[in-house]
Amino acid sequence: LFARVQLAGGMYPYLVKICGLAKTVTTDHCTVVAPYTLAELQNADTIIVPGLADLDVDIPDALIHGIRKAHQRGARIASICSGAFILAATGLLHGLKATTHWLAAEELSRRYPGIEVDANVLYVDNGQLRTSAGAAAGLDLVLHMIRTDFGAAVAARAARIAVMPLERAGGQAQFIERRIPSANHGSLQPLLVWIETNPCGDLSVATLAEKGAMSIRSLHRRFVEHTGVTPARWVLNARIRRAQELLETTSLSVEQVSHESGFGSSATFRARFHDSVGTSPLVYRRTFRGE
DNA sequence: CGCGCAAACCGCCATG
DNA sequence: TACATGGCGGTTTGCG
């Protein structure tokens, strides 16, 4: 996913290098070739730690030290799946929230009581340190990084290339509820998609409830349970996301952007935008496009 | 900024 | 009994 990211100017912003202790790593089902050594950890801006096939193997000291050193240097470090056990072994996750594959969550919590393990999220973003659940959640996390690095438009293109949804959940929420396959009843997914594609128009909780064929009370409960935020908050986040994309990719006036994103007035839009993003719409556009 | 009003939120409880 | 639903109403939030 990283390797295919392309900016508007045609350049590829990420250089991906696979490194390891050995030149080749054989897993149950395939062999991975790692052309680079662990020394590469000290040059990387972002380090992705993959999962372990066997949770009981000893984590090599060289790897632990390499990761710690890179962390001190300020490198961004993320784990996928049971890779959280490697990060946990470095001690860096102590006192932080983290996640891992749901089958391994209990074990992680047992071994490292200092880590607040949450098995119900797709990924946890602690800024410099991030952990993600199963393999697919790793892609969600990477997409999230691309979005914060280069904006929604670039991330959207990467998502399209990978044929995956840009946001399985969202906005400002730092974690995302994982959908368990069996929990199909009353899925919010169609509603979320509808909100995402129709930011303008009537998205009051009353119409949302009607659209989702449930009561306002249930809608509210479902949203909090599955997304971590209330319905109105989710709608607001979706509108901010749309506004950001419009600011990034078009030259529409703030007035037009606010209207196209579903805000009733540009005054409200400016206020809400500043609350969520931290800057005004025009400043956001300017800094995003590079002066 | 502040005002007035409507919507949203959420604990509580009844119901199926 | 365990659980999901949804209505009520007091309080908070947010819009114009």
Side-chain angles (χ1 to χ4, degrees), chain A residues 17-54:
Chain A
K17 296 183 176 180
I18 298 178
C19 64
L21 285 153
K23 281 275 177 238
T24 63
V25 179
T26 300
T27 73
D28 290 347
H29 308 291
C30 64
T31 296
V32 175
V33 178
Y36 298 92
T37 67
L38 287 190
E40 210 55 50
L41 293 182
Q42 304 320 318
N43 303 322
D45 297 312
T46 300
I47 297 171
I48 307 285
V49 182
L52 294 160
D54 178 1

Side-chain angles (χ1 to χ4, degrees), chain A residues 149-182:
Chain A
D149 285 347
F150 296 104
V154 171
R157 204 175 313 137
R160 216 172 296 129
I161 288 171
V163 195
M164 63 180 289
L166 178 56
E167 293 253 359
R168 271 202 261 173
Q172 307 303 311
Q174 292 216 320
F175 57 88
I176 298 173
E177 182 76 15
R178 177 169 48 82
R179 294 233 43 97
I180 296 168
S182 65

Side-chain angles (χ1 to χ4, degrees), chain A residues 1-274:
Chain A
L1 207 54
F2 275 130
R4 291 205 163 91
V5 174
Q6 199 174 7
L7 298 186
M11 75 169 269
Y12 293 88
Y14 298 103
L15 174 60
V16 178
K17 296 183 176 180
I18 298 178
C19 64
L21 285 153
K23 281 275 177 238
T24 63
V25 179
T26 300
T27 73
D28 290 347
H29 308 291
C30 64
T31 296
V32 175
V33 178
Y36 298 92
T37 67
L38 287 190
E40 210 55 50
L41 293 182
Q42 304 320 318
N43 303 322
D45 297 312
T46 300
I47 297 171
I48 307 285
V49 182
L52 294 160
D54 178 1
L55 292 184
D56 292 322
V57 296
D58 288 326
I59 315 291
D61 282 344
L63 180 56
I64 290 182
H65 290 138
I67 291 176
R68 281 196 194 138
K69 205 169 148 197
H71 177 264
Q72 264 179 1
R73 189 170 53 77
R76 178 169 60 174
I77 305 170
S79 70
I80 295 174
C81 197
S82 48
F85 283 76
I86 297 175
L87 286 193
T90 66
L92 296 173
L93 287 179
H94 190 83
L96 296 179
K97 223 179 123 184
T99 193
T100 185
H101 192 283
W102 57 280
L103 281 175
E106 208 173 314
E107 180 65 10
L108 183 66
S109 176
R110 196 184 61 76
R111 290 192 198 177
Y112 303 95
I115 301 175
E116 192 187 331
V117 180
D118 187 345
N120 290 322
V121 298
L122 277 178
Y123 56 80
V124 176
D125 182 355
N126 287 306
Q128 199 187 345
L129 288 167
R130 308 173 189 208
T131 50
S132 62
L139 292 177
D140 284 293
L141 175 55
V142 167
L143 215 46
H144 172 64
M145 289 191 203
I146 294 170
R147 202 175 84 84
T148 49
D149 285 347
F150 296 104
V154 171
R157 204 175 313 137
R160 216 172 296 129
I161 288 171
V163 195
M164 63 180 289
L166 178 56
E167 293 253 359
R168 271 202 261 173
Q172 307 303 311
Q174 292 216 320
F175 57 88
I176 298 173
E177 182 76 15
R178 177 169 48 82
R179 294 233 43 97
I180 296 168
S182 65
N184 275 337
H185 59 85
S187 171
L188 277 184
Q189 209 64 17
L191 265 186
L192 299 187
V193 170
W194 189 66
I195 293 171
E196 209 62 29
T197 49
N198 299 294
C200 14
D202 184 5
L203 294 181
S204 67
V205 294
T207 42
L208 249 34
E210 194 183 341
K211 207 106 189 159
M214 63 185 96
S215 71
I216 291 176
R217 190 69 189 80
S218 290
L219 181 90
H220 185 263
R221 252 199 297 260
R222 277 264 167 63
F223 259 87
V224 173
E225 184 184 343
H226 287 92
T227 71
V229 296
T230 60
R233 179 75 217 180
W234 179 278
V235 169
L236 174 62
N237 288 344
R239 286 177 166 156
I240 295 284
R241 250 178 273 141
R242 167 62 64 91
Q244 280 180 305
E245 185 162 358
L246 289 177
L247 288 167
E248 292 164 12
T249 59
T250 72
S251 297
L252 296 177
S253 68
V254 174
E255 194 73 38
Q256 286 168 314
V257 169
S258 99
H259 187 256
E260 293 288 311
S261 318
F263 290 91
S265 78
S266 62
T268 315
F269 168 56
R270 284 175 217 275
R272 299 285 125 240
F273 190 88
H274 197 278

